[in-house]
Amino acid sequence: MPFRSRAAFGALERTLLEVLWKRPGEQLSGREILGALDGSPAYTTVMTVLDRMVEKELVQRHRVGRIGHYAAAGSRGEMTAELLRDTLGSVPAADRAAALIAFVGDVSHDDRAALQGALDRLSPSSAS
């Protein structure tokens, strides 16, 4: 996967990613992305942030002539998982269990059930 998390997304980065995630498999020009934002913020701001997102490997840029077309470097799920891995990896090993318990203790019942289902699918004992 080309995306490598370095930090949580900024507000405008998240907004731009939301636009790209809504159109998976497509490459959008800066003008198309701006159009999905109802014209705000300014075009130059969007392009500056997209350039920085390319450097951070959050988005991929494909040039068609002089026009850049952009796509998210990963799906919402892939990128969220990478952020979670990076965050957990930044916690000292001795504190990881406490961090996980605190996190799981704060999630909704539905999210906890989804997490339990994922753990069950990954468990070697459930492969029988």
Side-chain angles (χ1 to χ4, degrees):
M1 173 174 62
F3 164 69
R4 287 187 302 222
S5 169
R6 290 193 176 81
F9 308 133
L12 185 52
E13 288 175 336
R14 177 164 294 285
T15 299
L16 298 179
L17 284 168
E18 291 290 342
V19 170
L20 295 170
W21 285 330
K22 287 179 183 174
R23 301 197 32 202
E26 293 184 49
Q27 297 175 4
L28 304 178
S29 71
R31 294 241 180 248
E32 290 172 314
I33 294 168
L34 181 65
L37 301 175
D38 298 322
S40 180
Y43 175 75
T44 54
T45 301
V46 169
M47 296 310 297
T48 298
V49 173
L50 284 169
D51 285 342
R52 290 181 182 154
M53 292 173 74
V54 168
E55 291 172 13
K56 292 166 125 181
E57 299 180 352
L58 297 173
V59 300
Q60 298 170 339
R61 176 176 43 220
H62 305 277
R63 295 229 184 249
V64 179
R66 293 182 56 201
I67 307 294
H69 288 76
Y70 301 86
S75 70
R76 180 192 314 266
E78 291 168 338
M79 294 177 91
T80 300
E82 187 62 28
L83 285 170
L84 291 170
R85 281 190 291 273
D86 279 0
T87 299
L88 189 58
S90 71
V91 175
D95 298 330
R96 285 187 189 147
L100 287 167
I101 289 168
F103 171 74
V104 173
D106 287 340
V107 301
S108 71
H109 175 74
D110 290 345
D111 287 343
R112 193 175 302 166
L115 178 59
Q116 184 62 56
L119 290 170
D120 291 345
R121 284 192 305 275
L122 293 173
S123 172
S125 64
S126 66
S128 50

